[in-house]
Amino acid sequence: QLQLVESGGGSVQPGGSLRLSCAASGFTRLYYAIGWFRQAPGKERERVSCISSNGDNTHYADAVKGRFTTSRDSAKNTIYLHMSSLEPEDTAVYYCAALMSESVVGGILRCGMPFGSWGQGTQVTVSS
């Protein structure tokens, strides 16, 4: 059974950087597109990025475009979210999830809905 565990969160000042990790287990190799999501207090969970199963394509929400980068290390079955130029608005619990589908249309990655149970997530707090 696929299990994803997030780590790497913490407290940083505005303008700082963090790298989150999403470690997958339960499969010899992770053949799913993976999405990173976040949920701030009082707000709905939103997707901030996704990466294709082969790692060749990524997509980012407008709010994080140019500041966040997602990558994957297939040998380690781990997906990363590199976050830079962090803002107080990025404060949230961050989650990763396997996605039900993926497609590339006109060079743009389209990611499907997440499936499975949500993990504990990892808290990111940006404040001065």
Side-chain angles (χ1 to χ4, degrees):
Q1 183 176 354
L2 177 64
Q3 184 176 10
L4 301 175
V5 178
E6 306 90 347
S7 64
S11 296
V12 296
Q13 294 185 339
S17 300
L18 281 174
R19 187 184 77 166
L20 306 184
S21 298
C22 172
S25 62
F27 280 77
T28 302
R29 182 170 178 176
L30 186 61
Y31 287 104
Y32 293 101
I34 299 293
W36 280 99
F37 298 78
R38 68 185 181 186
Q39 187 167 22
K43 295 187 177 181
E44 292 187 356
R45 197 179 333 239
E46 61 176 349
R47 191 177 70 201
V48 297
S49 73
C50 60
I51 185 167
S52 59
S53 55
N54 63 8
D56 287 349
N57 300 94
T58 56
H59 185 270
Y60 301 93
D62 288 344
V64 306
K65 198 171 295 183
R67 301 188 297 120
F68 289 14
T69 303
T70 187
S71 61
R72 64 194 300 160
D73 184 333
S74 297
K76 296 182 179 180
N77 267 354
T78 301
I79 299 87
Y80 302 100
L81 184 66
H82 305 258
M83 308 185 295
S84 62
S85 301
L86 283 162
E87 305 168 351
E89 293 74 22
D90 296 317
T91 295
V93 179
Y94 284 71
Y95 305 86
C96 59
L99 305 177
M100 297 178 68
S101 64
E102 61 181 296
S103 63
V104 178
V105 180
I108 298 174
L109 177 64
R110 300 178 185 273
C111 293
M113 298 297 290
F115 70 91
S117 302
W118 294 103
Q120 297 282 341
T122 186
Q123 175 71 48
V124 172
T125 302
V126 185
S127 70
S128 54

